[in-house]
Amino acid sequence: MAIRTILHYPDKRLRDPGRPVTEFGPALAKLVDDMAETMYAAPGVGLAAPQIGEAKRVFIVDVATGDDEPSDLRVFVNPEIIERDGIQQWEEGCLSFPGIHEEIERAERVKVRAQDAHGNVFELEADGLLAVAIQHENDHLDGKLMLDHLGLIRRRLVHRSMVKRSTVAAE
Ligand code: NI
């Protein structure tokens, strides 16, 4: 297992759509292990493969955030959100937007169909934070980012602060 570098906006690779996974072998298992280690080290509640420069349709979430809660790692390969229902707002963050937190509107409940790391198909119904995390991470697989959900002014502010940050980091 290895901690991988998380790409920060405005890295253009975050806009690459993920390709479907067709092989469920050791390379995928290694990718998922690396993603989990990277997410827990950050720490974050979700991570999508394009965030570490792997343009593949894979994301993980673990919304068990309490220190004494057991981990609840869930792996989604080739996911598809097949039902959305209701509306909720959550203050979201993203490991590709360090320091940024924005209120974003999402469906309150979702039903997702995906494969696990072995290729087995499963369906899951989620609400609350888990539903938010699934929608947020699923967006990454289409090259869609949290700022795309913001109004024009907030989007510009977030864009500028991230560009400024990346310029400072490169100096
Ligand atoms: Ni994100």
Side-chain angles (χ1 to χ4, degrees):
M1 297 218 293
I3 294 177
R4 306 277 292 265
T5 302
I6 297 173
L7 305 180
H8 292 167
Y9 180 88
D11 193 304
K12 289 192 163 49
R13 287 170 287 177
L14 291 169
R15 292 299 191 183
D16 293 342
R19 291 182 301 276
V21 171
T22 52
E23 289 194 23
F24 293 82
L28 178 64
K30 164 93 168 70
L31 174 65
V32 169
D33 281 352
D34 285 358
M35 287 172 65
E37 192 168 358
T38 304
M39 178 181 75
Y40 289 128
V45 298
L47 185 71
Q51 290 181 277
I52 56 165
E54 301 268 0
K56 295 193 175 90
R57 301 193 78 78
V58 180
F59 70 76
I60 60 171
V61 298
D62 186 346
V63 298
T65 49
D67 286 340
D68 47 359
E69 265 181 280
S71 74
D72 183 24
L73 182 67
R74 294 167 190 265
V75 179
F76 300 80
V77 180
N78 301 325
E80 221 185 321
I81 295 177
I82 51 178
E83 281 177 35
R84 298 169 194 262
D85 181 26
I87 292 172
Q88 63 175 328
Q89 278 206 350
W90 210 282
E91 197 178 83
E92 295 185 24
C94 177
L95 294 176
S96 295
F97 290 80
I100 305 282
H101 299 276
E102 293 287 334
E103 286 274 330
I104 290 173
E105 199 172 281
R106 303 274 187 187
E108 190 181 2
R109 282 174 297 278
V110 293
K111 187 171 180 182
V112 58
R113 181 183 295 142
Q115 285 165 282
D116 64 18
H118 307 287
N120 303 310
V121 176
F122 67 94
E123 285 187 2
L124 175 74
E125 286 183 16
D127 59 13
L129 177 58
L130 181 58
V132 169
I134 287 170
Q135 292 170 85
H136 177 116
E137 300 311 329
N138 194 61
D139 272 358
H140 277 296
L141 308 187
D142 295 322
K144 193 169 180 187
L145 302 171
M146 62 184 273
L147 89 169
D148 302 330
H149 290 273
L150 303 176
L152 185 63
I153 293 171
R154 292 303 305 163
R155 201 183 316 162
R156 282 200 179 146
L157 282 169
V158 170
H159 171 78
R160 280 191 194 154
S161 85
M162 288 302 300
V163 168
K164 197 170 162 190
R165 200 178 185 280
S166 72
T167 313
V168 171
E171 278 169 358

